[in-house]
Amino acid sequence: MSVPAQVPAQVIDIRRYRLARLIRDAGRQQGELARMMRDSAQERTQLAEALQGAQRHLTRIAESYKVLLLRLKREKDFRDACQEAAELEDLDEMIRRRDALVRELESIRRGGRGSAGP
């Protein structure tokens, strides 16, 4: 009967093995955290750009609204002036006001900012 050859036994230090695994896992987690932070920074940049676009859009809407309100006021003033001219008994004054109102109406339709008073 032959005696099996003895293989030299290798001793593994479990503490070093665990430490190496912890270091490897920490490196992997650090890489994942760095990726998440880059993604988050990119999302914040995109959000900031979207908010700036929305702010520009809202500014344009506010400007358009302001122009619309001015135009509506001018049209109301025009209607009031037409009513006043129609109630006059002086024909020359009615014609003078009518001509001024026609100029005002043309200005309103062109979207001009000038105002011809009655």
Side-chain angles (χ1 to χ4, degrees):
M1 180 164 173
S2 90
V3 176
Q6 288 200 353
V7 179
Q10 214 175 8
V11 178
I12 298 175
D13 186 356
I14 297 294
R15 289 178 294 181
R16 284 188 181 189
Y17 174 75
R18 286 182 181 162
L19 180 61
R21 236 176 109 182
L22 287 172
I23 290 172
R24 185 188 68 210
D25 291 346
R28 200 174 294 139
Q29 289 175 355
Q30 186 178 11
E32 180 68 16
L33 179 61
R35 185 190 63 74
M36 289 171 60
M37 289 176 70
R38 281 191 303 271
D39 291 348
S40 175
Q42 185 178 15
E43 288 173 3
R44 284 193 310 270
T45 299
Q46 290 172 347
L47 181 59
E49 290 171 356
L51 287 173
Q52 287 174 349
Q55 184 177 9
R56 285 190 299 270
H57 182 67
L58 289 174
T59 299
R60 283 193 300 269
I61 289 172
E63 290 170 359
S64 296
Y65 186 69
K66 192 184 304 181
V67 168
L68 177 63
L69 288 177
L70 177 63
R71 188 169 178 176
L72 288 173
K73 182 189 178 313
R74 290 178 68 198
E75 289 179 2
K76 180 188 178 299
D77 293 346
F78 172 77
R79 285 191 307 275
D80 292 346
C82 285
Q83 182 66 35
E84 288 175 15
E87 293 171 356
L88 289 177
E89 294 183 11
D90 183 353
L91 188 59
D92 291 334
E93 180 65 12
M94 285 176 63
I95 292 170
R96 186 190 69 72
R97 285 189 182 191
R98 183 204 62 198
D99 293 344
L101 292 173
V102 166
R103 288 190 298 275
E104 176 69 12
L105 182 59
E106 288 172 357
S107 175
I108 290 171
R109 286 184 177 159
R110 284 192 310 267
R113 298 207 186 269
S115 177

